[in-house]
């Protein structure tokens, strides 16, 4: 069986709708992208953020994308040629690691990453590398979530009559999985909250924090391309073992976070039952979700 690439379940067409275009335009204004000659995207995947921001860059600008998956880099190169070849922007995608970025010092006016720091063992090391390739006075930008927040959100009014003990049991599992993942050196899924602290520790200055205004909602009728892609993605997750989650991996995280197998197995059985209910609701176009999330945009300057 072919080995799965990182974040494969999140890099489908639905990802193109992670941001409101007018909000990206506002971010481009805040980050002075119109004066940005060189932008670097670390952990670029298929190149999405570089492509999105490049439309606000001046003619003759350069976008670099770096990712450790050769397959994603190949797709980004193909997309640069087929979709963006008419742009007055030069795109260059490289295979490389975030802890050893294959670019010279002081390359970029803006160096950014999206949902990268949550997956790395040593985010401080990655931030230092992002600083290294950024010009003095340039911006380092991280777009990172708190992924625990949605566990306290409700989809339907009926869910507001919740059982406190049952909800606390689920929260304990989620917290232990997150803690265990970090203990095993695989990152911290809710790192977004602490990026300003990491930026200050790295010596970055003038730290600014914003929050994305995008909600990934699914509200009947499922009559737009965005909704249909999101529903299709959810159905693919439902068809996987358990909404994209692997039993063995999550059991390992849970145990590393101080949990025991019996409690995890009880949680897993409920998850399997819930996914059957979710699939039926999606297929009948009855599933409703406001789709709230908490994604930070943290930007700071490299000292001159």
């Amino acid at each position: 069986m072919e080995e799965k690439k990182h974040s494969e379940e999140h890099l489908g067409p639905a990802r193109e709708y992670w941001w409101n275009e007018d909000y990206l335009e506002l971010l481009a204004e805040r980050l002075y992208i119109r004066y940005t000659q060189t932008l670097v995207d670390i952990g670029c995947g298929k190149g999405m953020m570089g492509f999105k921001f490049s439309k606000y860059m001046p003619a003759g600008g350069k976008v670099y994308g770096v990712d450790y998956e050769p397959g994603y880099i190949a797709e980004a190169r193909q997309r640069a040629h087929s979709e963006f070849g008419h742009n007055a922007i030069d795109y260059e995608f490289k295979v490389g690691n975030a802890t050893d970025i294959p670019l010279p010092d002081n390359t970029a006016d803006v160096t950014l990453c999206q949902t990268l720091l949550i997956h790395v063992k040593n985010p401080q090391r990655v931030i230092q590398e992002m600083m290294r390739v950024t010009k003095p006075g340039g911006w380092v930008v991280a777009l990172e979530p708190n992924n625990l927040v949605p566990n306290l959100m409700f989809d339907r009014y009926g869910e507001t009559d919740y059982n406190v003990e049952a909800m606390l049991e689920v929260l304990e599992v989620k917290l232990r999985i997150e803690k265990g993942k970090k203990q095993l050196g695989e990152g911290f899924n809710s790192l977004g909250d602490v990026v300003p602290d990491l930026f200050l520790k790295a010596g970055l200055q003038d730290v600014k924090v914003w929050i994305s205004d995008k909600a990934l909602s699914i509200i009947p009728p499922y009559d737009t391309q965005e909704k249909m892609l999101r529903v299709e993605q959810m159905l693919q997750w439902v068809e996987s073992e358990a909404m994209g989650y692997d039993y063995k991996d999550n059991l390992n995280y849970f145990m590393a976070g101080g949990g025991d197998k019996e409690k995890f197995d009880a949680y897993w059985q409920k998850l399997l039952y819930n996914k059957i209910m979710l699939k039926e609701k999606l297929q009948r176009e009855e599933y409703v979700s406001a789709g709230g999330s908490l994604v930070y945009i943290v930007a700071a300057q490299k000292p001159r």
Side-chain angles (χ1 to χ4, degrees):
M1 192 171 70
E2 187 183 346
E3 191 174 336
K4 253 182 94 175
K5 301 185 186 82
H6 78 77
S7 309
E8 205 169 311
E9 63 274 21
H10 293 291
L11 283 175
R15 189 182 180 94
E16 294 293 327
Y17 294 98
W18 272 17
W19 297 90
N20 286 319
E21 291 297 330
D22 57 351
Y23 186 80
L24 286 179
E25 187 176 359
L26 175 62
L27 270 186
E29 192 72 23
R30 289 170 171 172
L31 296 169
Y32 309 103
I33 299 293
R34 73 171 84 173
Y35 306 111
T36 293
Q37 293 295 331
T38 307
L39 181 143
V40 173
D41 181 9
I42 305 301
C44 68
K46 299 174 184 179
M48 183 186 83
M49 293 311 288
F51 293 133
K52 284 191 177 294
F53 276 122
S54 69
K55 68 199 273 190
Y56 305 107
M57 291 172 65
K62 175 96 178 185
V63 171
Y64 288 100
V66 177
D67 200 281
Y68 72 78
E69 291 282 4
Y72 291 158
I73 291 298
E75 287 190 56
R77 286 172 180 159
Q78 175 59 37
R79 199 171 171 202
H81 175 73
S82 62
E83 287 182 54
F84 299 96
H86 63 281
N87 283 8
I89 301 291
D90 182 25
Y91 300 97
E92 185 173 339
F93 294 95
K94 294 169 171 276
V95 177
N97 201 295
T99 56
D100 189 17
I101 298 169
L103 289 170
D105 295 359
N106 307 327
T107 296
D109 299 293
V110 173
T111 303
L112 65 86
C113 66
Q114 175 177 241
T115 56
L116 168 71
L117 300 178
I118 59 171
H119 295 303
V120 300
K121 181 176 183 178
N122 188 346
Q124 199 76 71
R125 166 82 186 274
V126 173
I127 292 166
Q128 293 289 358
E129 265 296 276
M130 291 175 70
M131 279 183 71
R132 179 185 66 76
V133 303
T134 304
K135 297 172 186 175
W139 290 91
V140 176
V141 185
L143 301 86
E144 301 285 342
N146 177 322
N147 281 321
L148 278 170
V149 165
N151 294 299
L152 287 170
M153 293 177 176
F154 305 103
D155 290 329
R156 294 169 297 107
Y157 183 69
E159 292 176 6
T160 60
D161 294 321
Y162 55 85
N163 178 295
V164 172
E165 287 71 29
M167 198 160 178
L168 287 172
E169 283 177 15
V170 172
L171 280 173
E172 181 192 347
V173 172
K174 298 288 188 178
L175 286 165
R176 291 198 184 281
I177 287 172
E178 189 124 328
K179 184 179 179 68
K181 190 179 178 200
K182 186 173 187 292
Q183 293 281 104
L184 295 172
E186 295 185 32
F188 186 68
N189 278 352
S190 295
L191 193 82
D193 298 334
V194 300
V195 171
D197 179 47
L198 293 173
F199 273 16
L200 287 174
K201 285 181 167 64
L204 287 162
Q205 299 175 346
D206 192 20
V207 179
K208 300 181 185 302
V209 184
W210 304 293
I211 293 173
S212 171
D213 69 345
K214 181 73 177 189
L216 304 178
S217 58
I218 298 178
I219 300 168
Y222 305 161
D223 55 357
T224 66
Q225 177 81 349
E226 179 176 353
K227 284 185 200 175
M228 287 187 281
L229 284 170
R230 202 166 287 142
V231 168
E232 182 185 338
Q233 183 182 56
M234 286 194 75
L235 285 169
Q236 286 171 356
W237 288 351
V238 168
E239 293 296 341
S240 66
E241 186 174 0
M243 270 93 87
Y245 297 103
D246 178 82
Y247 171 81
K248 187 178 177 185
D249 284 348
N250 280 273
L251 175 60
N252 287 342
Y253 296 149
F254 184 69
M255 303 280 278
D260 64 82
K261 187 174 183 297
E262 187 177 345
K263 183 171 280 190
F264 182 80
D265 283 343
Y267 159 80
W268 196 260
Q269 287 308 308
K270 287 178 189 170
L271 188 69
L272 294 177
Y273 173 76
N274 288 339
K275 85 168 190 173
I276 296 168
M277 298 293 102
L278 175 60
K279 180 179 179 179
E280 289 178 0
K281 282 181 185 168
L282 286 166
Q283 289 175 332
R284 292 198 300 260
E285 293 201 20
E286 293 174 358
Y287 177 72
V288 183
S289 174
S293 60
L294 181 55
V295 179
Y296 294 93
I297 302 95
V298 187
Q301 282 186 294
K302 178 176 176 176
R304 292 183 186 276

